[in-house]
Amino acid sequence: MMKILTVGAVCIASLYYAQSYPVSAIPENLKKDANAVIRKDFTTIQINKIDEVKYQINTVTTVLNKDGDSQAHAYIPYDKGDHISDVKVTVYDESGKKIKSYSKSDFGDFANNSQGVFYSDSRYLSLAYTPTQYPYTLEFSYQITNENTIFIPDFVPFSGTNVALEESQFKILNNSGIELRTKTYPSKYNYTTVAESSNGVEKVYSYKNVPAIEDASLLPSPLKILPKVSFSLARFNLEGKQGSITSWKDFGSWYYNSILQPVSVSTPSIKADVAALNLQGSTEERVRKLYQYMQGKTRYIFVALGIGGWQPMMPDEVQKKGYGDCKGLSNYMKTLLDEAGIPSYYCTINSGSSPVSFDKDFPKMGGNHVILMVPTEKGNIWLENTSQQIAFNHLSYSTTDRNVLLVKKDGIEVMDTPSYSAEQNKEKQILKIKLNEDNSIAGKGEFAFTGSQYDYNLRFATLSPKEKNESVKSLLNILHFENIEMKDFINDRDNAVIKYNLDFKANNYSKNAGSSMVFRAVPIFSDNNYKADDKRELPFEIMQSFEDEYKITFEIPKNYKIDEVPEDVKLPSEFGTYQLNFIKNGQELTVTRTIHVNKGTYPKEKYNDYIKFRKKTVNMDNSKILITKI
């Protein structure tokens, strides 16, 4: 949610302008699983002084099919004050023959206001090129000079799947006299290596012949698979604010004094609002009341203004306008807490479905989101300030199980966010099912969700009753619904629980077998198609632990008897456990089902073992029960 300058890798040399790029020259191993192949990706970064860095960029990308178009997009993000020059684009056909050339005048100039962005200083140049044939090759080069030296991009081969790399070079010329710190992170899975060389002020890094990462099931983020090199200047500039980043302590002091302190300003109106709430009780009770007051008063809109987009809006501006981004809303909430005499801390974090943490031993500007931490006598309270619906002291799956940069007056503390167990990421389902002789069922269900499963169901909170019914019908489409109604929806924002009831009728649930009927043990379950992969090349990641606990009571027709019921089953594995039990009681049959899955990153050799475990759970969910007419 906060802007970071992103630049593709670089180097301009006139030698490459004279080259052509026939597709036939691409090694066959790089075409495998690739929608696009990066032929050349050369970057030269020239650091001239604390407030001047020059990027020279030359990329050559061959697009093999339509799915690879996004990899060859000619796009230049910039801010006011940046100087862009030598913009060149050349398009080649399959044989390497030039089709067309473009210059800077052919680019459109746009405000970088993507969906959800209200105000932004950021802009971009973009070339609207529509390919007429595949494959094609696009050569793209430009230079850009920027005053912000705090952002030196990481050097990685690529960031997505189905992209291969032929050759990449990253050269840094440090003429500033300022120490440039570097750190290389090898691939944990030996996917490829980075070559390094250094000659005084010049450092050169390179990759060669890196095959594409196939977009496989449960694949960890490519950034977790590939190596990278990180960079950070010991002294830097950000929109005229200069500081040092040799430790988290000195960087945190700069962040506090230059970024946060100038906007940590209350007003008589804010004071009056807090006083009117008449806060009483424990610290937790007072924080809860303030937080839910803030939620009811504001909404999220991204605002990329103020010191490179990193400084929050003033609290009184958020109060008056009723909106802000993660920075502005967190700063406003912190100001409310300050007025109540409750200390809190502004925390920068890497938000995403696959956890990414900061390196405690390599201080560097980073993060894409902001939350708050409030210390109390009973433990830390964590506040996500961008949602009007999310529960108090609840972090979603996109911010748990990683660390934050917690900004204090005397420096940054690197602190871990909570990690939820499987028992905390829970679905509880109680169904009462009446079996009908026409093979339909009439059902009533009670559902409750906590942890990450609360997050997944939070989408229902803002829907109309009709939209809720349509959405849950689509979600539970394993049943052939004739009708379905969601009732009594509750978003318990005090305890982070979502509850709702369902009334439904579904057809074709059972099947006739002479004078008997057969039906499956579990009406509603995940019917994912789990496929083995004997050629798996990379590890797999289960991103969230979870536990589902079901109790299903079937009422059979009065003129039938329960004839055959499967044996109770328990399936233990290193990935979790599954248990299914049956209890007969006259005309009723109660089925209890529990599945517990452990998160983690597992070696490729165990992928098929996991698939076998999940296939078994699906087969058990489909266990058949036989009832016979009396």
Side-chain angles (χ1 to χ4, degrees), residues 22-43:
V23 175
S24 59
I26 300 174
E28 286 303 314
N29 70 305
L30 296 186
K31 294 179 183 178
K32 182 178 181 293
D33 299 322
N35 297 322
V37 179
I38 302 169
R39 314 290 292 277
K40 304 286 182 185
D41 191 350
F42 285 6
T43 301

PDB file of all heavy atoms in Angstrom, residues 22-43:
ATOM      1  N   PRO A  22      16.496 -13.586 -32.984  1.00  0.00           N
ATOM      2  CA  PRO A  22      15.646 -14.650 -33.509  1.00  0.00           C
ATOM      3  C   PRO A  22      15.229 -15.607 -32.396  1.00  0.00           C
ATOM      4  O   PRO A  22      16.022 -15.926 -31.504  1.00  0.00           O
ATOM      5  CB  PRO A  22      16.547 -15.343 -34.533  1.00  0.00           C
ATOM      6  CG  PRO A  22      17.947 -15.021 -34.098  1.00  0.00           C
ATOM      7  CD  PRO A  22      17.874 -13.651 -33.508  1.00  0.00           C
ATOM      8  N   VAL A  23      13.995 -16.045 -32.458  1.00  0.00           N
ATOM      9  CA  VAL A  23      13.493 -16.960 -31.433  1.00  0.00           C
ATOM     10  C   VAL A  23      14.241 -18.286 -31.479  1.00  0.00           C
ATOM     11  O   VAL A  23      14.421 -18.956 -30.455  1.00  0.00           O
ATOM     12  CB  VAL A  23      11.977 -17.173 -31.627  1.00  0.00           C
ATOM     13  CG1 VAL A  23      11.438 -18.210 -30.648  1.00  0.00           C
ATOM     14  CG2 VAL A  23      11.236 -15.850 -31.457  1.00  0.00           C
ATOM     15  N   SER A  24      14.730 -18.658 -32.648  1.00  0.00           N
ATOM     16  CA  SER A  24      15.456 -19.926 -32.804  1.00  0.00           C
ATOM     17  C   SER A  24      16.734 -19.965 -31.969  1.00  0.00           C
ATOM     18  O   SER A  24      17.263 -21.048 -31.695  1.00  0.00           O
ATOM     19  CB  SER A  24      15.792 -20.150 -34.277  1.00  0.00           C
ATOM     20  OG  SER A  24      16.593 -19.091 -34.776  1.00  0.00           O
ATOM     21  N   ALA A  25      17.228 -18.799 -31.546  1.00  0.00           N
ATOM     22  CA  ALA A  25      18.468 -18.754 -30.762  1.00  0.00           C
ATOM     23  C   ALA A  25      18.234 -19.027 -29.282  1.00  0.00           C
ATOM     24  O   ALA A  25      19.193 -19.166 -28.522  1.00  0.00           O
ATOM     25  CB  ALA A  25      19.138 -17.397 -30.935  1.00  0.00           C
ATOM     26  N   ILE A  26      16.985 -19.089 -28.862  1.00  0.00           N
ATOM     27  CA  ILE A  26      16.691 -19.359 -27.441  1.00  0.00           C
ATOM     28  C   ILE A  26      16.951 -20.832 -27.152  1.00  0.00           C
ATOM     29  O   ILE A  26      16.417 -21.715 -27.848  1.00  0.00           O
ATOM     30  CB  ILE A  26      15.226 -19.016 -27.108  1.00  0.00           C
ATOM     31  CG1 ILE A  26      14.937 -17.543 -27.377  1.00  0.00           C
ATOM     32  CG2 ILE A  26      14.922 -19.349 -25.646  1.00  0.00           C
ATOM     33  CD1 ILE A  26      13.474 -17.168 -27.202  1.00  0.00           C
ATOM     34  N   PRO A  27      17.739 -21.151 -26.132  1.00  0.00           N
ATOM     35  CA  PRO A  27      17.946 -22.555 -25.768  1.00  0.00           C
ATOM     36  C   PRO A  27      16.619 -23.244 -25.448  1.00  0.00           C
ATOM     37  O   PRO A  27      15.729 -22.639 -24.829  1.00  0.00           O
ATOM     38  CB  PRO A  27      18.841 -22.461 -24.525  1.00  0.00           C
ATOM     39  CG  PRO A  27      19.520 -21.128 -24.632  1.00  0.00           C
ATOM     40  CD  PRO A  27      18.525 -20.227 -25.295  1.00  0.00           C
ATOM     41  N   GLU A  28      16.492 -24.488 -25.851  1.00  0.00           N
ATOM     42  CA  GLU A  28      15.229 -25.216 -25.680  1.00  0.00           C
ATOM     43  C   GLU A  28      14.827 -25.343 -24.216  1.00  0.00           C
ATOM     44  O   GLU A  28      13.643 -25.310 -23.881  1.00  0.00           O
ATOM     45  CB  GLU A  28      15.337 -26.610 -26.318  1.00  0.00           C
ATOM     46  CG  GLU A  28      15.294 -26.601 -27.831  1.00  0.00           C
ATOM     47  CD  GLU A  28      14.029 -25.948 -28.386  1.00  0.00           C
ATOM     48  OE1 GLU A  28      12.932 -26.267 -27.881  1.00  0.00           O
ATOM     49  OE2 GLU A  28      14.151 -25.113 -29.297  1.00  0.00           O
ATOM     50  N   ASN A  29      15.814 -25.467 -23.317  1.00  0.00           N
ATOM     51  CA  ASN A  29      15.460 -25.638 -21.905  1.00  0.00           C
ATOM     52  C   ASN A  29      14.815 -24.383 -21.320  1.00  0.00           C
ATOM     53  O   ASN A  29      14.071 -24.449 -20.340  1.00  0.00           O
ATOM     54  CB  ASN A  29      16.696 -26.009 -21.084  1.00  0.00           C
ATOM     55  CG  ASN A  29      17.675 -24.854 -20.964  1.00  0.00           C
ATOM     56  OD1 ASN A  29      18.118 -24.298 -21.969  1.00  0.00           O
ATOM     57  ND2 ASN A  29      18.041 -24.501 -19.740  1.00  0.00           N
ATOM     58  N   LEU A  30      15.047 -23.222 -21.954  1.00  0.00           N
ATOM     59  CA  LEU A  30      14.422 -21.992 -21.466  1.00  0.00           C
ATOM     60  C   LEU A  30      13.005 -21.816 -22.004  1.00  0.00           C
ATOM     61  O   LEU A  30      12.232 -21.029 -21.457  1.00  0.00           O
ATOM     62  CB  LEU A  30      15.275 -20.781 -21.842  1.00  0.00           C
ATOM     63  CG  LEU A  30      16.676 -20.721 -21.212  1.00  0.00           C
ATOM     64  CD1 LEU A  30      17.362 -19.402 -21.560  1.00  0.00           C
ATOM     65  CD2 LEU A  30      16.627 -20.904 -19.701  1.00  0.00           C
ATOM     66  N   LYS A  31      12.660 -22.512 -23.060  1.00  0.00           N
ATOM     67  CA  LYS A  31      11.300 -22.431 -23.602  1.00  0.00           C
ATOM     68  C   LYS A  31      10.325 -23.279 -22.792  1.00  0.00           C
ATOM     69  O   LYS A  31       9.112 -23.022 -22.790  1.00  0.00           O
ATOM     70  CB  LYS A  31      11.271 -22.874 -25.060  1.00  0.00           C
ATOM     71  CG  LYS A  31      12.045 -21.958 -26.008  1.00  0.00           C
ATOM     72  CD  LYS A  31      11.989 -22.494 -27.438  1.00  0.00           C
ATOM     73  CE  LYS A  31      12.803 -21.644 -28.389  1.00  0.00           C
ATOM     74  NZ  LYS A  31      12.800 -22.191 -29.765  1.00  0.00           N
ATOM     75  N   LYS A  32      10.859 -24.286 -22.092  1.00  0.00           N
ATOM     76  CA  LYS A  32      10.010 -25.190 -21.318  1.00  0.00           C
ATOM     77  C   LYS A  32       9.262 -24.416 -20.228  1.00  0.00           C
ATOM     78  O   LYS A  32       9.863 -23.691 -19.446  1.00  0.00           O
ATOM     79  CB  LYS A  32      10.855 -26.300 -20.698  1.00  0.00           C
ATOM     80  CG  LYS A  32      10.056 -27.333 -19.893  1.00  0.00           C
ATOM     81  CD  LYS A  32      10.977 -28.414 -19.367  1.00  0.00           C
ATOM     82  CE  LYS A  32      10.212 -29.469 -18.588  1.00  0.00           C
ATOM     83  NZ  LYS A  32       9.653 -28.955 -17.337  1.00  0.00           N
ATOM     84  N   ASP A  33       7.946 -24.564 -20.184  1.00  0.00           N
ATOM     85  CA  ASP A  33       7.066 -23.935 -19.187  1.00  0.00           C
ATOM     86  C   ASP A  33       7.081 -22.412 -19.250  1.00  0.00           C
ATOM     87  O   ASP A  33       6.600 -21.748 -18.331  1.00  0.00           O
ATOM     88  CB  ASP A  33       7.442 -24.368 -17.760  1.00  0.00           C
ATOM     89  CG  ASP A  33       7.318 -25.865 -17.544  1.00  0.00           C
ATOM     90  OD1 ASP A  33       6.368 -26.446 -18.088  1.00  0.00           O
ATOM     91  OD2 ASP A  33       8.172 -26.436 -16.844  1.00  0.00           O
ATOM     92  N   ALA A  34       7.617 -21.827 -20.324  1.00  0.00           N
ATOM     93  CA  ALA A  34       7.742 -20.373 -20.404  1.00  0.00           C
ATOM     94  C   ALA A  34       6.713 -19.773 -21.349  1.00  0.00           C
ATOM     95  O   ALA A  34       6.509 -20.278 -22.457  1.00  0.00           O
ATOM     96  CB  ALA A  34       9.145 -19.986 -20.855  1.00  0.00           C
ATOM     97  N   ASN A  35       6.067 -18.695 -20.906  1.00  0.00           N
ATOM     98  CA  ASN A  35       5.246 -17.863 -21.790  1.00  0.00           C
ATOM     99  C   ASN A  35       6.072 -16.727 -22.380  1.00  0.00           C
ATOM    100  O   ASN A  35       5.699 -16.145 -23.399  1.00  0.00           O
ATOM    101  CB  ASN A  35       4.069 -17.275 -21.023  1.00  0.00           C
ATOM    102  CG  ASN A  35       3.124 -18.337 -20.503  1.00  0.00           C
ATOM    103  OD1 ASN A  35       2.878 -19.337 -21.174  1.00  0.00           O
ATOM    104  ND2 ASN A  35       2.609 -18.141 -19.299  1.00  0.00           N
ATOM    105  N   ALA A  36       7.174 -16.413 -21.695  1.00  0.00           N
ATOM    106  CA  ALA A  36       8.077 -15.364 -22.172  1.00  0.00           C
ATOM    107  C   ALA A  36       9.488 -15.704 -21.720  1.00  0.00           C
ATOM    108  O   ALA A  36       9.692 -16.345 -20.686  1.00  0.00           O
ATOM    109  CB  ALA A  36       7.662 -14.000 -21.633  1.00  0.00           C
ATOM    110  N   VAL A  37      10.472 -15.270 -22.510  1.00  0.00           N
ATOM    111  CA  VAL A  37      11.876 -15.466 -22.180  1.00  0.00           C
ATOM    112  C   VAL A  37      12.558 -14.096 -22.184  1.00  0.00           C
ATOM    113  O   VAL A  37      12.514 -13.379 -23.187  1.00  0.00           O
ATOM    114  CB  VAL A  37      12.584 -16.403 -23.173  1.00  0.00           C
ATOM    115  CG1 VAL A  37      14.056 -16.547 -22.796  1.00  0.00           C
ATOM    116  CG2 VAL A  37      11.911 -17.770 -23.199  1.00  0.00           C
ATOM    117  N   ILE A  38      13.161 -13.743 -21.056  1.00  0.00           N
ATOM    118  CA  ILE A  38      13.923 -12.492 -20.972  1.00  0.00           C
ATOM    119  C   ILE A  38      15.302 -12.775 -21.584  1.00  0.00           C
ATOM    120  O   ILE A  38      16.098 -13.524 -21.010  1.00  0.00           O
ATOM    121  CB  ILE A  38      14.053 -12.023 -19.516  1.00  0.00           C
ATOM    122  CG1 ILE A  38      12.658 -11.818 -18.898  1.00  0.00           C
ATOM    123  CG2 ILE A  38      14.869 -10.735 -19.432  1.00  0.00           C
ATOM    124  CD1 ILE A  38      12.680 -11.623 -17.397  1.00  0.00           C
ATOM    125  N   ARG A  39      15.560 -12.176 -22.738  1.00  0.00           N
ATOM    126  CA  ARG A  39      16.812 -12.432 -23.443  1.00  0.00           C
ATOM    127  C   ARG A  39      17.968 -11.652 -22.810  1.00  0.00           C
ATOM    128  O   ARG A  39      19.053 -12.191 -22.598  1.00  0.00           O
ATOM    129  CB  ARG A  39      16.671 -12.035 -24.920  1.00  0.00           C
ATOM    130  CG  ARG A  39      15.387 -12.513 -25.598  1.00  0.00           C
ATOM    131  CD  ARG A  39      15.393 -14.022 -25.787  1.00  0.00           C
ATOM    132  NE  ARG A  39      16.386 -14.429 -26.758  1.00  0.00           N
ATOM    133  CZ  ARG A  39      16.199 -14.423 -28.086  1.00  0.00           C
ATOM    134  NH1 ARG A  39      15.038 -14.011 -28.597  1.00  0.00           N
ATOM    135  NH2 ARG A  39      17.150 -14.836 -28.906  1.00  0.00           N
ATOM    136  N   LYS A  40      17.733 -10.374 -22.569  1.00  0.00           N
ATOM    137  CA  LYS A  40      18.714  -9.506 -21.926  1.00  0.00           C
ATOM    138  C   LYS A  40      17.974  -8.656 -20.904  1.00  0.00           C
ATOM    139  O   LYS A  40      16.928  -8.095 -21.201  1.00  0.00           O
ATOM    140  CB  LYS A  40      19.407  -8.570 -22.928  1.00  0.00           C
ATOM    141  CG  LYS A  40      20.096  -9.255 -24.091  1.00  0.00           C
ATOM    142  CD  LYS A  40      21.381  -9.921 -23.664  1.00  0.00           C
ATOM    143  CE  LYS A  40      22.080 -10.550 -24.876  1.00  0.00           C
ATOM    144  NZ  LYS A  40      23.281 -11.306 -24.471  1.00  0.00           N
ATOM    145  N   ASP A  41      18.531  -8.544 -19.721  1.00  0.00           N
ATOM    146  CA  ASP A  41      17.943  -7.684 -18.697  1.00  0.00           C
ATOM    147  C   ASP A  41      19.114  -7.046 -17.955  1.00  0.00           C
ATOM    148  O   ASP A  41      19.632  -7.606 -16.989  1.00  0.00           O
ATOM    149  CB  ASP A  41      17.068  -8.509 -17.763  1.00  0.00           C
ATOM    150  CG  ASP A  41      16.227  -7.639 -16.850  1.00  0.00           C
ATOM    151  OD1 ASP A  41      16.474  -6.428 -16.816  1.00  0.00           O
ATOM    152  OD2 ASP A  41      15.331  -8.172 -16.176  1.00  0.00           O
ATOM    153  N   PHE A  42      19.549  -5.901 -18.467  1.00  0.00           N
ATOM    154  CA  PHE A  42      20.759  -5.264 -17.956  1.00  0.00           C
ATOM    155  C   PHE A  42      20.416  -3.948 -17.269  1.00  0.00           C
ATOM    156  O   PHE A  42      19.720  -3.114 -17.833  1.00  0.00           O
ATOM    157  CB  PHE A  42      21.737  -4.984 -19.100  1.00  0.00           C
ATOM    158  CG  PHE A  42      22.452  -6.202 -19.617  1.00  0.00           C
ATOM    159  CD1 PHE A  42      22.146  -7.476 -19.182  1.00  0.00           C
ATOM    160  CD2 PHE A  42      23.463  -6.062 -20.551  1.00  0.00           C
ATOM    161  CE1 PHE A  42      22.799  -8.587 -19.662  1.00  0.00           C
ATOM    162  CE2 PHE A  42      24.132  -7.160 -21.043  1.00  0.00           C
ATOM    163  CZ  PHE A  42      23.810  -8.429 -20.602  1.00  0.00           C
ATOM    164  N   THR A  43      20.937  -3.787 -16.065  1.00  0.00           N
ATOM    165  CA  THR A  43      20.709  -2.573 -15.291  1.00  0.00           C
ATOM    166  C   THR A  43      22.045  -1.993 -14.837  1.00  0.00           C
ATOM    167  O   THR A  43      22.871  -2.723 -14.297  1.00  0.00           O
ATOM    168  CB  THR A  43      19.860  -2.873 -14.043  1.00  0.00           C
ATOM    169  OG1 THR A  43      18.621  -3.412 -14.422  1.00  0.00           O
ATOM    170  CG2 THR A  43      19.654  -1.626 -13.200  1.00  0.00           C
TER     171      THR A  43
END
